[in-house]
């Protein structure tokens, strides 16, 4: 395979030649294949040439339709081949990964029209893979056991053969089981409390095999923000344990929908503690020949862990419309934490002596020590730091204590932006009032380049934005009636966006009472794997897709998406993360709630017009727009130029 898609002259700067070839691609090669010439795309290409040449961080704010994905892909591929290291393309979530890598996606277009052989491999988050241990557990002890037995029967033959594998391949990806709903998938997918290090099936695990596959990519590795930040957070720990980092050494990083990186970083840097997991892990030591003093401490630690989580149950309060519970701190709770930490410290000291006696399995001992160290770090922060956000979740396996940092900038500054590699943030919405300082400050970026380009579309003639008036306060019934009217207007062909799973489920519950929709086909997020739902929606032109996570990145040009219905304004939830942000703000509404909502609303409206031929409606079902003048003006300011906010009652 030819290394570069152009004749490389070693006497001239490489990236200058990439820029010249890119100009040929956008001015000549792609237009000959039916693509239009876009000045915004060319402008972005020259900006990225500079960022790659100087190994800088750049904020590339480019409106819908500028073709920004094609630009960063061309530079990433060429730079990967020049450095002989893969480039990382980190997308906001797994559905965006599928959008990029699907057979008709941007990678496929480049490969086809430029005659390029592109080695792009997917590195998906661990929870996107089947867990063989959990599958074994639910096959006979669950209401859907027949479904799980069918999954077991679909597994490759080598998974069940306990002998040397002569041939094997990656398997177990969520996408391979599209018929499972989210509840069923969660019963058999990996979660953070699985002990992979000691799992007897780890070398036959689809997650393990997938890592062996994507590490060998020569051009691109495509992952989620969450996965990249997990790589950053676990990098040092995995090296200490003698493991490979999640991602190989790479030459550049592109954060697509980069405005969402901060939340992914917070999520990755989060500690999760659970009594049942601690008990299971620490009890393994009792199966060895250990001294009585250590055995006594282990029993005491289990008791104190159980006591801590019992008192935690009485110190948490429900948060409306959230599965997270707020923690009410008290001296009693902190004393339980202190006692638990004290006994763990005693166990750690005892393990030093045990290791010298060689009575414990060295590998198992290292696992326990790492887990105890993690607990000590987490509880130490929980006790003393004001820079943390904590909450509790509750499920059938008991409470989980979650501890998350408020700010992640120091970790990002040291482990991402100090690596002396090109880092590209790409999105249609990165700046606030024309400035990139807000996102740069929140991520710990001291030096950066930036640019903005507008969308080339004629929104004035392509988009109508409606804000229907409601006589009785925009109740669920009124909203559903308005939705039915809008769906009839476009004969389906709609995306209905909800500000959370609870809103979607309520809509789904009320929908059967409207016979006008009986002949329409609805797809609901959570009923099947998300990329499978998106594909079904795109193929079935008159259908309706209902979702709560597709505010960004969904790219469906053509009549299949002619109507975007926004069920409610996407203000941030009343959960501990945003409660903490509000507490730290001088004016919480202006600094936290409103900017978040406007950014998300802008992204949601951006799902409608994806080509020059698209036409359609955006409808915002909100009573606040009509009651709050300041809010209405803020929304009108983010609408595309020339597009008014039409405030009137809908007529059947």
């Amino acid at each position: 395979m030819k290394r570069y898609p152009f004749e490389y002259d070693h006497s001239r700067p490489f990236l200058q030649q990439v820029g010249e070839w890119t100009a040929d691609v956008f001015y000549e090669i792609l237009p000959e294949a039916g693509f239009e010439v876009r000045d915004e795309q060319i402008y972005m290409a020259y900006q990225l040439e500079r960022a790659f040449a100087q190994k800088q961080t750049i904020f590339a704010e480019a409106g819908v339709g500028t073709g920004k994905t094609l630009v960063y892909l061309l530079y990433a591929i060429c730079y990967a081949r020049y450095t002989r290291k893969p480039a990382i393309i980190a997308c906001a979530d797994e559905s965006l990964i599928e959008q990029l890598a699907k057979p008709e996606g941007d990678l496929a277009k480049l490969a086809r029209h430029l005659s390029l052989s592109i080695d792009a491999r997917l590195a998906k988050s661990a929870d996107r893979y089947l867990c063989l241990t959990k599958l074994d557990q639910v096959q006979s002890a669950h209401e859907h056991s027949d479904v799980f037995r069918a999954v077991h029967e679909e597994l490759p033959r080598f998974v069940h053969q306990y002998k040397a594998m002569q041939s094997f391949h990656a398997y177990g990806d969520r996408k391979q089981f599209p018929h499972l709903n989210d509840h069923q998938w969660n019963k058999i997918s990996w979660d953070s409390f699985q002990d992979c290090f000691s799992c007897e099936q780890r070398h036959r695990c689809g997650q393990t095999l997938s890592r062996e596959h994507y590490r060998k990519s020569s051009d691109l590795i495509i992952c989620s923000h969450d996965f990249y930040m997990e790589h950053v957070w676990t990098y040092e720990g995995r090296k200490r344990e003698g493991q490979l980092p999640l991602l190989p050494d790479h030459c550049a990083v592109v954060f697509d929908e980069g405005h969402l990186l901060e939340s992914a970083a917070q999520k990755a840097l989060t500690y999760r503690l659970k009594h049942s997991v601690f008990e299971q892990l620490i009890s393994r030591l009792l199966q060895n020949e250990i001294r009585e003093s250590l055995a006594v401490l282990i029993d005491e630690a289990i008791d104190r862990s159980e006591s801590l989580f019992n008192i935690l149950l009485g110190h948490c309060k429900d948060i409306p419309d959230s599965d997270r519970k707020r923690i009410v701190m008290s001296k009693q709770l902190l004393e339980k934490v202190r006692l638990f930490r004290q006994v763990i410290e005693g166990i750690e000291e005892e393990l030093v002596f045990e290791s010298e006696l060689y009575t414990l399995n060295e590998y198992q001992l290292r696992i326990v020590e790492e887990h105890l160290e993690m607990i000590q770090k987490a509880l130490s922060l929980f006790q003393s730091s004001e820079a943390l956000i904590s909450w509790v979740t509750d499920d059938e396996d008991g409470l989980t204590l979650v501890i998350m940092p408020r700010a992640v900038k120091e970790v990002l500054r040291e482990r991402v932006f100090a690596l002396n590699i090109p880092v590209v943030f790409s999105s249609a919405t990165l700046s606030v009032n024309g400035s990139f300082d807000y996102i740069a400050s929140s991520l710990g970026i001291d030096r950066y380049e930036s640019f903005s380009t507008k969308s080339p579309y004629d929104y004035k003639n392509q988009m109508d934005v409606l804000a229907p008036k409601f006589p009785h306060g925009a109740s669920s019934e009124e909203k559903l009636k308005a939705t039915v009217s809008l769906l009839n207007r476009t004969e389906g062909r709609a995306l209905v966006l909800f500000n959370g799973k609870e809103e979607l489920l309520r809509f789904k519950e009320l929908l059967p009472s409207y016979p006008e929709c009986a002949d329409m086909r609805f797809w609901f997020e959570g009923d099947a794997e998300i990329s499978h739902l998106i594909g079904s929606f795109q193929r079935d032109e008159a259908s309706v897709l209902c979702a709560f996570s597709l505010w960004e990145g969904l790219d469906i040009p053509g009549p299949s998406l002619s109507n975007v219905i926004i069920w409610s304004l996407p203000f941030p939830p009343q959960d501990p993360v945003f409660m903490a942000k509000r507490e730290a703000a001088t004016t919480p509404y202006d600094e936290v709630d409103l900017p978040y909502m406007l950014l998300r609303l802008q992204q949601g409206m951006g799902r409608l017009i994806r080509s020059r031929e698209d036409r359609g409606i955006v409808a915002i079902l909100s009573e606040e727009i009509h009651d709050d003048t300041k809010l209405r003006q803020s929304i009108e300011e983010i609408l595309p130029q020339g597009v008014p906010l039409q405030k009137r009652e809908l007529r059947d």
Side-chain angles (χ1 to χ4, degrees), residues 167-237:
S167 64
F168 56 88
H169 56 83
Y171 72 95
D173 181 353
R174 170 71 170 106
K175 191 178 179 183
Q176 295 172 1
F177 307 100
H179 56 286
L180 298 182
N181 61 39
D182 285 355
H183 177 72
Q184 293 168 334
W185 173 252
N186 290 337
K187 291 293 180 183
I188 61 172
S189 65
W190 180 91
D191 62 61
S192 59
F193 296 111
Q194 296 308 304
D195 184 5
C196 299
F197 300 125
S198 62
C199 179
E200 296 179 354
Q201 305 184 82
R202 63 177 303 195
H203 296 297
R204 300 173 188 275
C205 170
Q207 181 187 160
T208 302
L209 297 178
S210 74
R211 289 179 183 170
E212 294 177 3
H213 173 71
Y214 70 66
R215 285 180 186 281
K216 299 173 184 177
S217 175
S218 56
D219 289 335
L220 305 175
I221 297 177
I222 305 171
C223 66
S224 66
H225 291 179
D226 288 350
F227 189 80
Y228 187 82
M229 293 315 306
E230 185 74 14
H231 159 75
V232 170
W233 183 233
T234 61
Y235 183 84
E236 295 296 336

Side-chain angles (χ1 to χ4, degrees), residues 447-506:
R447 296 176 55 198
Y448 63 88
E449 297 291 326
S450 64
F451 69 89
S452 295
T453 61
K454 294 183 178 181
S455 172
Y457 296 146
D458 180 14
Y459 286 102
K460 182 179 180 180
N461 294 309
Q462 290 182 259
M463 173 192 284
D464 289 322
V465 180
L466 313 179
K469 291 185 177 180
F470 298 99
H472 305 293
S475 64
S476 295
E477 289 75 12
E478 280 186 297
K479 285 185 176 184
L480 217 154
K481 186 175 181 181
T483 299
V484 170
S485 175
L486 290 161
L487 293 177
N488 284 330
R489 184 179 300 188
T490 54
E491 297 179 331
R493 300 180 174 85
L495 169 67
V496 187
L497 287 172
F498 298 89
N499 193 25
K501 185 177 181 180
E502 293 76 16
E503 284 188 354
L504 181 146
L505 294 176
R506 177 62 175 157

Side-chain angles (χ1 to χ4, degrees), residues 597-646:
M597 185 279 290
L598 293 174
L599 182 62
R600 200 158 175 80
L601 179 62
Q602 208 169 352
Q603 286 283 345
M605 292 190 296
R607 301 313 99 214
L608 181 67
I609 306 300
R610 310 302 297 182
S611 74
R612 292 189 188 275
E613 290 72 38
D614 285 353
R615 300 286 185 277
I617 304 166
V618 172
I620 307 171
L621 310 185
S622 164
E623 185 68 11
E624 303 103 303
I625 289 178
H626 306 287
D627 296 340
D628 188 331
T629 302
K630 179 183 175 182
L631 174 65
R632 182 171 63 253
Q633 289 175 345
S634 298
I635 292 173
E636 288 173 336
E637 287 173 1
I638 66 168
L639 296 180
Q641 188 173 3
V643 178
L645 183 65
Q646 301 177 36

